[in-house]
Tab-separated table of all heavy atoms in Angstrom:
chain	number	residue	atom	x	y	z
A	129	HIS	N	6.541	-57.415	113.768
A	129	HIS	CA	5.498	-57.141	114.748
A	129	HIS	C	6.072	-56.241	115.823
A	129	HIS	O	7.215	-56.403	116.218
A	129	HIS	CB	5.010	-58.468	115.358
A	129	HIS	CG	3.957	-58.268	116.382
A	129	HIS	ND1	2.760	-57.658	116.087
A	129	HIS	CD2	3.920	-58.566	117.710
A	129	HIS	CE1	2.030	-57.613	117.187
A	129	HIS	NE2	2.712	-58.152	118.181
A	130	SER	N	5.308	-55.282	116.281
A	130	SER	CA	5.850	-54.326	117.255
A	130	SER	C	5.310	-54.606	118.661
A	130	SER	O	5.308	-53.709	119.498
A	130	SER	CB	5.469	-52.910	116.838
A	130	SER	OG	4.056	-52.762	116.930
A	131	GLY	N	4.825	-55.831	118.881
A	131	GLY	CA	4.251	-56.142	120.190
A	131	GLY	C	3.007	-55.296	120.442
A	131	GLY	O	2.686	-54.974	121.581
A	132	GLY	N	2.338	-54.883	119.375
A	132	GLY	CA	1.125	-54.078	119.509
A	132	GLY	C	1.422	-52.613	119.831
A	132	GLY	O	0.520	-51.795	119.938
A	133	ARG	N	2.720	-52.246	119.959
A	133	ARG	CA	3.056	-50.887	120.387
A	133	ARG	C	2.875	-49.858	119.279
A	133	ARG	O	2.416	-48.751	119.515
A	133	ARG	CB	4.531	-50.817	120.817
A	133	ARG	CG	4.874	-51.697	121.959
A	133	ARG	CD	4.841	-50.887	123.260
A	133	ARG	NE	5.210	-51.727	124.377
A	133	ARG	CZ	6.458	-51.834	124.803
A	133	ARG	NH1	7.419	-51.163	124.227
A	133	ARG	NH2	6.721	-52.608	125.827
A	134	SER	N	3.330	-50.208	118.071
A	134	SER	CA	3.259	-49.197	117.026
A	134	SER	C	3.050	-49.809	115.645
A	134	SER	O	4.002	-50.032	114.899
A	134	SER	CB	4.542	-48.359	117.033
A	134	SER	OG	4.487	-47.447	115.963
A	135	PRO	N	1.791	-50.067	115.298
A	135	PRO	CA	1.520	-50.593	113.957
A	135	PRO	C	2.038	-49.643	112.873
A	135	PRO	O	2.454	-50.071	111.801
A	135	PRO	CB	-0.014	-50.660	113.914
A	135	PRO	CG	-0.455	-50.678	115.331
A	135	PRO	CD	0.579	-49.924	116.108
A	136	THR	N	2.073	-48.340	113.160
A	136	THR	CA	2.572	-47.378	112.173
A	136	THR	C	4.039	-47.638	111.874
A	136	THR	O	4.476	-47.628	110.725
A	136	THR	CB	2.461	-45.936	112.744
A	136	THR	OG1	1.288	-45.862	113.489
A	136	THR	CG2	2.540	-44.912	111.676
A	137	MET	N	4.799	-47.887	112.954
A	137	MET	CA	6.227	-48.155	112.789
A	137	MET	C	6.419	-49.458	112.006
A	137	MET	O	7.298	-49.566	111.163
A	137	MET	CB	6.847	-48.267	114.189
A	137	MET	CG	8.329	-48.390	114.172
A	137	MET	SD	9.038	-46.848	113.576
A	137	MET	CE	10.704	-47.382	113.327
A	138	THR	N	5.564	-50.441	112.298
A	138	THR	CA	5.668	-51.714	111.590
A	138	THR	C	5.451	-51.481	110.101
A	138	THR	O	6.198	-51.991	109.261
A	138	THR	CB	4.609	-52.707	112.113
A	138	THR	OG1	4.709	-52.753	113.521
A	138	THR	CG2	4.793	-54.085	111.540
A	139	ARG	N	4.420	-50.691	109.778
A	139	ARG	CA	4.134	-50.433	108.358
A	139	ARG	C	5.295	-49.706	107.700
A	139	ARG	O	5.703	-50.010	106.596
A	139	ARG	CB	2.864	-49.578	108.222
A	139	ARG	CG	1.598	-50.403	108.101
A	139	ARG	CD	0.459	-49.553	107.561
A	139	ARG	NE	0.148	-48.443	108.433
A	139	ARG	CZ	-0.629	-48.537	109.503
A	139	ARG	NH1	-1.188	-49.681	109.828
A	139	ARG	NH2	-0.869	-47.488	110.256
A	140	TYR	N	5.879	-48.749	108.454
A	140	TYR	CA	6.983	-47.961	107.916
A	140	TYR	C	8.182	-48.867	107.608
A	140	TYR	O	8.735	-48.848	106.514
A	140	TYR	CB	7.360	-46.882	108.936
A	140	TYR	CG	8.598	-46.113	108.586
A	140	TYR	CD1	8.571	-45.152	107.573
A	140	TYR	CD2	9.802	-46.346	109.247
A	140	TYR	CE1	9.711	-44.459	107.239
A	140	TYR	CE2	10.947	-45.656	108.920
A	140	TYR	CZ	10.895	-44.719	107.914
A	140	TYR	OH	12.031	-44.037	107.572
A	141	LEU	N	8.534	-49.721	108.588
A	141	LEU	CA	9.672	-50.612	108.392
A	141	LEU	C	9.405	-51.595	107.262
A	141	LEU	O	10.282	-51.927	106.482
A	141	LEU	CB	9.946	-51.398	109.675
A	141	LEU	CG	10.751	-50.655	110.721
A	141	LEU	CD1	10.929	-51.520	111.950
A	141	LEU	CD2	12.119	-50.279	110.160
A	142	LYS	N	8.159	-52.041	107.186
A	142	LYS	CA	7.810	-52.994	106.135
A	142	LYS	C	8.063	-52.356	104.769
A	142	LYS	O	8.655	-52.971	103.883
A	142	LYS	CB	6.346	-53.414	106.288
A	142	LYS	CG	5.925	-54.376	105.215
A	142	LYS	CD	4.535	-54.899	105.467
A	142	LYS	CE	4.139	-55.793	104.384
A	142	LYS	NZ	3.176	-55.850	103.582
A	143	ARG	N	7.634	-51.112	104.624
A	143	ARG	CA	7.836	-50.435	103.323
A	143	ARG	C	9.307	-50.324	102.994
A	143	ARG	O	9.737	-50.558	101.880
A	143	ARG	CB	7.208	-49.040	103.360
A	143	ARG	CG	5.740	-49.018	102.974
A	143	ARG	CD	5.355	-47.656	102.438
A	143	ARG	NE	5.668	-46.592	103.362
A	143	ARG	CZ	4.880	-46.199	104.356
A	143	ARG	NH1	3.718	-46.792	104.543
A	143	ARG	NH2	5.245	-45.216	105.158
A	144	GLN	N	10.110	-49.972	104.021
A	144	GLN	CA	11.551	-49.833	103.793
A	144	GLN	C	12.154	-51.165	103.351
A	144	GLN	O	12.920	-51.232	102.404
A	144	GLN	CB	12.247	-49.424	105.084
A	144	GLN	CG	11.709	-48.174	105.696
A	144	GLN	CD	12.665	-47.035	105.522
A	144	GLN	OE1	13.827	-47.185	105.773
A	144	GLN	NE2	12.170	-45.928	105.047
A	145	LEU	N	11.774	-52.225	104.072
A	145	LEU	CA	12.346	-53.533	103.753
A	145	LEU	C	11.855	-54.033	102.402
A	145	LEU	O	12.611	-54.610	101.629
A	145	LEU	CB	11.998	-54.547	104.846
A	145	LEU	CG	12.699	-54.300	106.180
A	145	LEU	CD1	12.080	-55.145	107.281
A	145	LEU	CD2	14.179	-54.611	106.078
A	146	GLU	N	10.578	-53.785	102.127
A	146	GLU	CA	10.004	-54.213	100.838
A	146	GLU	C	10.840	-53.639	99.706
A	146	GLU	O	11.115	-54.300	98.714
A	146	GLU	CB	8.568	-53.703	100.680
A	146	GLU	CG	7.527	-54.488	101.439
A	146	GLU	CD	7.088	-55.750	100.723
A	146	GLU	OE1	7.695	-56.126	99.717
A	146	GLU	OE2	6.132	-56.382	101.215
A	147	ALA	N	11.221	-52.360	99.866
A	147	ALA	CA	11.977	-51.706	98.803
A	147	ALA	C	13.375	-52.293	98.701
A	147	ALA	O	13.955	-52.383	97.634
A	147	ALA	CB	12.057	-50.207	99.076
A	148	PHE	N	13.907	-52.702	99.829
A	148	PHE	CA	15.306	-53.091	99.864
A	148	PHE	C	15.543	-54.549	99.464
A	148	PHE	O	16.588	-54.889	98.920
A	148	PHE	CB	15.833	-52.838	101.282
A	148	PHE	CG	17.295	-53.084	101.410
A	148	PHE	CD1	18.191	-52.307	100.688
A	148	PHE	CD2	17.780	-54.085	102.217
A	148	PHE	CE1	19.546	-52.542	100.785
A	148	PHE	CE2	19.127	-54.323	102.315
A	148	PHE	CZ	20.021	-53.548	101.600
A	149	ILE	N	14.554	-55.401	99.737
A	149	ILE	CA	14.756	-56.823	99.446
A	149	ILE	C	14.249	-57.126	98.046
A	149	ILE	O	13.067	-56.923	97.757
A	149	ILE	CB	14.021	-57.697	100.477
A	149	ILE	CG1	14.542	-57.338	101.861
A	149	ILE	CG2	14.222	-59.179	100.206
A	149	ILE	CD1	13.722	-57.891	102.978
A	150	PRO	N	15.136	-57.573	97.152
A	150	PRO	CA	14.711	-57.746	95.767
A	150	PRO	C	13.468	-58.636	95.651
A	150	PRO	O	13.318	-59.611	96.390
A	150	PRO	CB	15.907	-58.432	95.111
A	150	PRO	CG	17.053	-58.157	95.995
A	150	PRO	CD	16.522	-57.965	97.374
A	151	ARG	N	12.575	-58.278	94.709
A	151	ARG	CA	11.326	-59.033	94.487
A	151	ARG	C	11.617	-60.501	94.254
A	151	ARG	O	10.918	-61.369	94.721
A	151	ARG	CB	10.603	-58.547	93.216
A	151	ARG	CG	10.158	-57.141	93.194
A	151	ARG	CD	8.881	-56.936	93.919
A	151	ARG	NE	9.161	-55.881	94.891
A	151	ARG	CZ	8.380	-55.546	95.888
A	151	ARG	NH1	7.258	-56.174	96.078
A	151	ARG	NH2	8.710	-54.595	96.731
Side-chain angles (χ1 to χ4, degrees):
H129 179 60
S130 66
R133 299 263 182 92
S134 176
T136 323
M137 186 67 192
T138 309
R139 269 197 299 277
Y140 173 75
L141 278 179
K142 179 174 178 235
R143 273 205 305 275
Q144 304 253 313
L145 291 168
E146 282 279 9
F148 185 63
I149 302 168
R151 298 279 126 192

